[in-house]
Amino acid sequence: MEFTKLAYESTDDFLYGICPKPVETRNGLVIGGGEMYPEVNFTLPPMNITKDTMPEVRRIYSEIIEGVLKKAYELHAPGLVIEFETLPEMTEHPEWGIEIHKILRDAMHNYEDKYGLKSAIRMTPNDLREMSRPPIMRSGKYWEAMVKTFEGSAKDGADFLSVESTGGKEINDEAIMNADLRTSIFALGCLASRDMKWLWTNITQIAKENGSIPAGDSACGFANTSMVLAEQGFIPKVYAAVMRAMVTPRALVAIENGAIGPSKDCAYENVYLKAITGTPITLEGKSAACAHFSPRGNIALAVPDLWSNESVQQVKLLSGFAPVVSTEQLTYDCRLMNIAAKKGHAKLMRDLLVESDCYLDPQAYVLTPENVFEISREIVKTSDPFSRTLNTARKTLEIIRRGLDKKELTIDERDLRWLDILESQVEEIPEDEEEFIEEMKDEVDETKYRPEEYGI
Amino acid sequence: MALEELSEAVQKGKAKIVKELVNQELEKGTPVDVILNDGLIAAMGVVGEKFKLNQIYVPEMLVAARAMSKGLSIIEPLMTETGVKPVGTVVIGTVKGDLHDIGKNLVAMMMKGIGATVYDLGVDVADAQFVEKAEEVNADIVCLSALLTTTMPAIEDVIKEFEKAGVRDKYRIMIGGAPVNQAFADQIGADVYTSNAADAAENAKEFLTKKYA
Ligand code: B12
């Protein structure tokens, strides 16, 4: 499937909790069908994961899920999604990841049978392939362990399969610290997109064979790493803003190869994806401050179908355990959003969320519905990931520049300097992918990646 | 004011000019330690200060650091000859099972900025490797980074490895990473915890200055 136009005619219809292509789980939970649900994610407190500590690991996950389900039920959550993102050891030993998934899944079924709380689980094995350096992307023990984890959990009833894949990241890591858009365009448009095609063809196959839903990928290691670093004052906000939009063509590859949503929480680029494909999305913002800070806490809540906390570790706060606290926060957020929509105020709600953030940071500015549509239209003008990525970079820089000229967006002195630098970086990139790849093969440290793993 | 010119060139990240200017200074007979301290290290001090004041970003610091190391590579061989004491030696890495390296890289860069010789072991580093390298290069400081709650215990494993080898007291062990805190450092017997790279470098500088005073 190739996308050549947007899924929406007008930004007026671009709203939260609803989308043109909702997704339904086996037990009838509909994502994007009119209601917004919380998606809760959690992780372990400081501890080792070994054979010896596995009983304790099991105990902790049981304790977490019981607490989360109880709170969701008490607060009348109309539905709930749980994300289980494995830690590296749990994918390296697929039986551990599969087992914990089953603990969560069983507890969720139990609650549905007993109390009627409808829930669905997203299984996100971590991408182990980068454990070998340079990464081997399409074979080897790490890839095999990932496949086993996907398959095993899918067989046990995982509703959604997701991943934060890392193709091209081995090159992009250094580019981020240098705010080097040229190398990022190579990593995303040339490497990551090729890996995504291969990876998502495989994940979709596994999902199909086992009745799971291939849900989508997040460019966490690219755009979220940039966002976090910009937040800490390490790299330019304008670079992080461009990166956010620029990872969309990569994400589109998953949808073009079988994924149908809901795409993963930390992928703020999901808004472009929703505009283009009409598939449901998860997002995170102010209620994910337990995991990381962001300059787009409200605007992130403008158009998602699921609302997430990203992750929080099982530690005790004054009120109770942190994952339960997250469940309460997300559930109340969703309640408010759902009642606003029911009373016909969805668009007003969306616009308030947008306006409360969008002029204060370029990373929020590129997420306004108008700018999302403008960038998305630019993306679907061409069909190959490289030119889409390059065009997105140009368009996003243009939009930021225009915002400054119109004096509706402000950025500080050092970011102004970097806007100039990024504009000239992009100007020097050739339109032709072959030519660009040749240039980059000379420029990029060849010990860092294996071109053959990407078929280039 | 040629050294100011050199410092300027480092700050702006003009590696080629830095090389030329260092060579010029050597020809003129400027002492190696003056080039090092007043030219190269001073420049990184200015850059670090600008970063602290939110005037520049890390990419600009990295360009300067690269230019500095170009200059350093010329004078390094001369330092032992002329009896100039190196600032100190740091071994750094991310502990086993952990692939996060951005924070660790920043710490490494800042350590280079104070003029220390830095051996970066990379990510997912086995416990014993830290000990081996520290012994091999006669390090002063060992820096351990961990970003996952599930790899924090590996920091303790490394410290135990140093104890096992009977060389724990030879090194100052500094630790850091988002989930790490002072309480954890105290609990496992690390020497120093800092929450950011700039403080880490400052702490190291103070320590090394005293040690080699
Ligand atoms: C960027 C990032 C990544 C990138 C890493 C890219 C890279 N090359 O490093 C990618 C996407 C690859 C990644 C992968 C994973 N990540 Co990650 N990641 C982050 C994120 C968003 C930011 C980390 C970062 O770089 N910060 C910026 C740097 C500059 O800050 P810093 O590292 O803290 O360093 C500063 C200080 O701490 C200090 N410092 C650091 N080291 C040292 C050392 C010494 C000696 C001293 C003195 C000081 C010091 O100085 C630095 C500069 O001031 C954090 C979120 C967070 N809140 O930290 C999650 C986070 C750490 N990751 C997390 C997870 C779960 C993972 C994965 C397991 C995800 C998955 N399921 O696939 C994998 C793990 C892979 C592995 N085996 O390690 C979780 C950890 C949860 C937990 N249980 O601990 C976090 C907290 C996100 C979350 N909230 O869920 N991640």
Side-chain angles (χ1 to χ4, degrees):
Chain A
M1 187 200 322
E2 187 186 305
F3 294 96
T4 54
K5 59 181 183 34
L6 303 198
Y8 294 84
E9 297 288 333
S10 151
T11 53
D12 288 349
D13 306 319
F14 190 50
L15 299 169
Y16 60 86
I18 189 153
C19 66
K21 293 184 195 159
V23 167
E24 185 171 349
T25 61
R26 277 173 286 214
N27 59 351
L29 192 69
V30 181
I31 316 294
E35 235 172 352
M36 181 192 268
Y37 307 120
E39 175 163 347
V40 184
N41 186 331
F42 34 76
T43 189
L44 292 173
M47 69 183 294
N48 269 318
I49 305 173
T50 63
K51 208 165 129 246
D52 297 337
T53 63
M54 267 308 284
E56 178 64 2
V57 170
R58 284 184 206 108
R59 190 194 65 74
I60 294 174
Y61 275 100
S62 293
E63 181 179 73
I64 296 177
I65 191 69
E66 287 299 331
V68 166
L69 291 168
K70 181 161 178 283
K71 182 51 72 190
Y73 172 67
E74 283 169 0
L75 293 181
H76 309 278
L80 173 72
V81 174
I82 296 294
E83 180 182 22
F84 172 40
E85 207 175 320
T86 64
L87 287 158
E89 293 84 351
M90 303 169 184
T91 318
E92 271 176 70
H93 304 271
E95 66 280 9
W96 296 350
I98 293 166
E99 193 189 345
I100 297 163
H101 166 267
K102 192 161 180 323
I103 290 174
L104 303 175
R105 177 71 284 194
D106 287 350
M108 292 162 72
H109 277 158
N110 219 348
Y111 246 79
E112 182 166 355
D113 292 346
K114 265 204 211 144
Y115 305 107
L117 173 65
K118 257 197 208 325
S119 60
I121 187 163
R122 180 196 300 275
M123 179 67 180
T124 308
N126 63 302
D127 191 346
L128 281 181
R129 297 173 299 169
E130 59 173 340
M131 295 293 285
S132 47
R133 302 238 152 173
I136 300 170
M137 308 307 287
R138 304 186 178 186
S139 58
K141 65 171 181 177
Y142 291 121
W143 167 242
E144 280 161 23
M146 287 169 69
V147 171
K148 271 199 189 139
T149 312
F150 273 123
E151 275 176 355
S153 48
K155 283 194 169 66
D156 283 344
D159 295 284
F160 308 120
L161 300 187
S162 277
V163 68
E164 298 179 352
S165 73
T166 57
K169 200 183 75 68
E170 65 276 34
I171 295 301
N172 199 65
D173 278 351
E174 207 178 310
I176 292 185
M177 291 316 290
N178 291 311
D180 171 3
L181 267 188
R182 179 180 170 84
T183 305
S184 291
I185 288 174
F186 175 64
L188 288 165
C190 306
L191 303 182
S193 301
R194 283 180 169 77
D195 181 54
M196 289 284 282
K197 182 165 186 194
W198 182 84
L199 180 66
W200 277 93
T201 306
N202 277 286
I203 297 175
T204 300
Q205 186 63 28
I206 295 172
K208 264 196 193 136
E209 283 165 9
N210 298 287
S212 298
I213 294 166
D217 206 302
S218 163
C220 184
F222 301 84
N224 284 32
T225 302
S226 305
M227 176 177 75
V228 169
L229 291 174
E231 180 60 32
Q232 300 181 349
F234 290 140
I235 62 168
K237 290 177 180 161
V238 286
Y239 170 83
V242 177
M243 277 301 274
R244 179 58 62 189
M246 222 170 75
V247 297
T248 311
R250 166 197 175 282
L252 256 186
V253 177
I255 312 275
E256 287 176 338
N257 288 281
I260 60 171
S263 201
K264 239 186 82 64
D265 53 1
C266 57
Y268 292 75
E269 64 274 20
N270 280 343
V271 292
Y272 308 99
L273 214 59
K274 179 163 173 170
I276 294 169
T277 68
T279 53
I281 62 171
T282 309
L283 270 182
E284 64 194 38
K286 57 184 171 186
S287 306
C290 51
H292 62 75
F293 297 119
S294 92
R296 32 170 84 115
N298 283 334
I299 198 170
L301 185 52
V303 299
D305 305 287
L306 293 168
W307 181 235
S308 154
N309 65 332
E310 156 83 12
S311 188
V312 71
Q313 73 269 42
Q314 175 76 339
V315 291
K316 194 95 192 249
L317 305 178
L318 283 177
S319 51
F321 279 112
V324 180
V325 171
S326 271
T327 307
E328 169 153 329
Q329 288 169 333
L330 297 171
T331 308
Y332 276 110
D333 287 342
C334 290
R335 267 197 202 173
L336 178 62
M337 299 300 283
N338 287 333
I339 196 72
K342 219 165 156 187
K343 299 210 160 204
H345 300 309
K347 184 166 174 297
L348 173 64
M349 198 72 185
R350 181 199 75 182
D351 291 343
L352 294 174
L353 289 160
V354 168
E355 257 198 73
S356 59
D357 286 353
C358 71
Y359 304 126
L360 301 176
D361 192 299
Q363 298 175 79
Y365 191 67
V366 299
L367 297 186
T368 69
E370 291 69 29
N371 289 338
V372 166
F373 273 44
E374 190 175 343
I375 290 169
S376 300
R377 285 201 186 96
E378 189 68 23
I379 292 175
V380 295
K381 268 187 195 158
T382 57
S383 60
D384 68 291
F386 166 70
S387 63
R388 282 176 167 177
T389 307
L390 177 57
N391 293 341
T392 308
R394 288 189 178 138
K395 187 49 140 189
T396 312
L397 287 166
E398 180 192 316
I399 285 174
I400 295 172
R401 178 67 75 188
R402 198 175 61 208
L404 292 172
D405 291 345
K406 282 205 279 185
K407 302 218 178 334
E408 57 178 30
L409 173 67
T410 44
I411 58 179
D412 67 16
E413 204 46 45
R414 52 181 179 165
D415 268 284
L416 272 176
R417 196 169 66 237
W418 271 97
L419 184 58
D420 291 339
I421 297 174
L422 298 182
E423 281 168 349
S424 57
Q425 283 181 6
V426 167
E427 244 165 55
E428 282 165 24
I429 298 174
E431 304 288 331
D432 181 56
E433 185 180 14
E434 291 287 308
E435 189 185 332
F436 182 53
I437 290 178
E438 283 316 307
E439 286 181 16
M440 292 310 286
K441 275 188 173 168
D442 291 338
E443 283 173 36
V444 173
D445 181 351
E446 58 192 7
T447 63
K448 287 242 167 88
Y449 77 121
R450 302 175 204 262
E452 67 278 10
E453 290 291 317
Y454 297 96
I456 63 167
Chain B
M1 296 304 282
L3 281 182
E4 237 165 64
E5 211 181 305
L6 173 60
S7 164
E8 275 292 308
V10 172
Q11 289 173 45
K12 296 221 166 92
K14 304 209 156 126
K16 251 198 196 150
I17 298 179
V18 169
K19 262 183 151 170
E20 280 168 26
L21 291 175
V22 168
N23 281 326
Q24 272 178 33
E25 288 304 323
L26 288 172
E27 275 164 35
K28 270 201 286 183
T30 312
V32 172
D33 59 334
V34 173
I35 301 178
L36 177 69
N37 291 319
D38 300 357
L40 303 178
I41 295 180
M44 284 310 286
V46 176
V47 170
E49 201 52 36
K50 280 191 180 163
F51 176 70
K52 261 196 180 163
L53 294 172
N54 293 338
Q55 290 169 355
I56 57 167
Y57 284 115
V58 168
E60 286 141 308
M61 251 198 315
L62 283 172
V63 179
R66 280 194 288 269
M68 176 193 177
S69 52
K70 278 273 155 29
L72 207 57
S73 66
I74 303 174
I75 59 169
E76 240 161 17
L78 306 173
M79 277 167 33
T80 28
E81 273 171 42
T82 51
V84 174
K85 277 192 237 141
V87 175
T89 304
V90 176
V91 167
I92 188 169
T94 302
V95 296
K96 66 171 182 269
D98 201 322
L99 298 177
H100 294 83
D101 69 354
I102 295 172
K104 184 255 314 163
N105 292 347
L106 285 175
V107 176
M109 177 188 76
M110 296 293 233
M111 292 289 183
K112 283 182 194 159
I114 60 161
T117 310
V118 176
Y119 294 90
D120 186 346
L121 301 178
V123 296
D124 189 19
V125 180
D127 306 340
Q129 234 178 309
F130 283 104
V131 181
E132 272 162 34
K133 197 68 188 183
E135 287 284 287
E136 177 196 325
V137 302
N138 199 14
D140 301 292
I141 297 174
V142 176
C143 288
L144 309 172
S145 182
L147 262 287
L148 295 168
T149 51
T150 49
T151 55
M152 273 167 71
I155 296 183
E156 188 175 5
D157 295 346
V158 177
I159 295 182
K160 284 198 183 127
E161 195 70 27
F162 274 95
E163 281 165 4
K164 216 169 74 193
V167 295
R168 168 67 185 88
D169 295 337
K170 278 169 72 179
Y171 307 104
R172 184 169 174 95
I173 297 187
M174 301 180 63
I175 70 170
V180 178
N181 57 30
Q182 187 63 51
F184 179 73
D186 295 342
Q187 183 197 321
I188 62 165
D191 297 312
V192 181
Y193 157 79
T194 73
S195 68
N196 64 66
D199 289 352
E202 216 156 277
N203 186 294
K205 192 174 172 182
E206 222 170 86
F207 168 74
L208 293 170
T209 314
K210 265 196 208 138
K211 182 169 175 180
Y212 291 109

